[in-house]
Amino acid sequence: MAPALVDYTAAEKELFEFDDLKIGVKGLVDAGVTHIPRFFIHPPECRGNNSSAPQNNGVDGVEIPVIDLEGFNENDDRRVKMVNAIRYACATGGFFQIVNHGVPVAVMEEMVESIRRFHEQPQEAKMEWYSRDFSRKVNYFSSGDIKGRAKPVPAEWRDTLSCRAADDQWDFDALPELCRREMKEYLKNMIDLQEKLSELMSEALGLSKNHLSSTGYLKPMRLSSHYYPVCPEPDLTLGTIKHSDPSLLTLVLQDKGNGLQVLHNDQWVDIPAVDGAFVANIGDFMQLLSNDKFKSVEHRVLATSLGKPRISAATFFLPCAKDIHKPCGPIKELLSDNSPPIYRITSYAEFMSHYTVEGQIGVRALPHFKL
């Protein structure tokens, strides 16, 4: 029998009570639940198995580009091909994968295992990190920012360990000791990779290669380490709802488990796991700064139904902390009589204030900033 439609306003109290337990979704699974609580049940039209919703179903001709960064430092055809491939991917689908990026496979694998180790440690040991005070450098929580959204929405079937840089600096000593060494090494590699991606994306926009790095627009400022436990009723819920990111760029390290999907031409397309690759996607703020030359894209994560949890790490590249209140808009070098500004002047702080309320319930934030 299909479950009754959920009154999310009524279920919100139960969600908050669950959150106060600080056990996360993993705690429910460990307790042996066979039916998910009603606040995890999503509307039928939003579920991954809904036949009337956009689906992949092996759509012919839809491929997520895999871009090879080998030869990045060579001033030859390889670099030109990289820039052209990134330009095309960012202007069309907004999603691509990168290989030969310089981050050792061992560092990537150890990062995945450290995330698993944190989330699978005894519950009592994790509780000290559980908090929705997002001014902290480190938070462990379940199901996103459930208390900052514009309206009650169903919970997501995942737990997250979130870390952020403070005043543009990473405090590695603040990371949980159980995964500190691996996360520190991983973040150092993200900082190195940022320089490479800043150059390539600047060139892809037709700007000088140092443009994005000199403006401080593309810094690895936040790391979200997600753990999607196996779900007893995966057809009723989602690991992450449909959304676009508020970043300029997001890099995702995913284990060999599938579930990540991108919305392309009203079709949900699977993002396959590629050995040694990062998944890259354009965020809303990059679309704003590029004046729609680069496109952000909506994506989601299905609930895990196979025999093991899905693990991923998302690094969000954002403006420097000192510049979040600085007025900004479409990059002036990209504007002309034939390409007037599409978006008004704003700031990243204002953008995030709107996104926190609306973007996290699946509503696109960008239209609010259009002229």
Side-chain angles (χ1 to χ4, degrees), residues 2-62:
L5 295 179
V6 176
D7 180 345
Y8 295 112
T9 300
E12 187 176 54
K13 180 176 181 292
E14 298 168 20
L15 173 58
F16 290 168
E17 289 172 349
F18 162 72
D19 192 60
D20 288 340
L21 296 176
K22 300 183 178 182
I23 64 171
V25 176
K26 176 72 162 54
L28 288 176
V29 174
D30 290 345
V33 296
T34 57
H35 298 286
I36 63 175
R38 65 171 180 163
F39 48 80
F40 282 106
I41 298 176
H42 287 243
E45 65 273 14
C46 298
R47 299 173 194 165
N49 69 332
N50 176 39
S51 60
S52 65
Q55 298 292 324
N56 178 13
N57 296 329
V59 177
D60 292 335
V62 177

Side-chain angles (χ1 to χ4, degrees), residues 285-305:
F285 208 65
M286 177 64 87
Q287 181 167 336
L288 185 151
L289 292 174
S290 72
N291 207 43
D292 277 3
K293 287 181 171 56
F294 287 177
K295 302 292 197 303
S296 66
V297 63
E298 292 178 303
H299 49 287
R300 69 181 184 181
V301 178
L302 303 181
T304 299
S305 59

Side-chain angles (χ1 to χ4, degrees), residues 99-110:
V99 295
N100 293 320
H101 37 65
V103 181
V105 171
V107 170
M108 300 168 72
E109 291 175 345
E110 290 173 3

Side-chain angles (χ1 to χ4, degrees), residues 199-255:
E199 287 191 21
L200 291 172
M201 297 191 75
S202 293
E203 292 179 29
L205 283 169
L207 305 168
S208 67
K209 70 178 184 179
N210 297 321
H211 186 92
L212 289 174
S213 61
S214 66
T215 56
Y217 276 144
L218 208 65
K219 299 293 185 182
M221 302 300 291
R222 186 171 297 124
L223 172 67
S224 292
S225 301
H226 299 307
Y227 184 94
Y228 300 86
V230 175
C231 182
E233 296 180 296
D235 290 343
L236 299 182
T237 189
L238 287 170
T240 302
I241 64 170
K242 181 181 75 171
H243 70 289
S244 55
D245 291 344
S247 57
L248 280 83
L249 177 71
T250 305
L251 281 189
V252 178
L253 166 65
Q254 56 177 350
D255 66 1

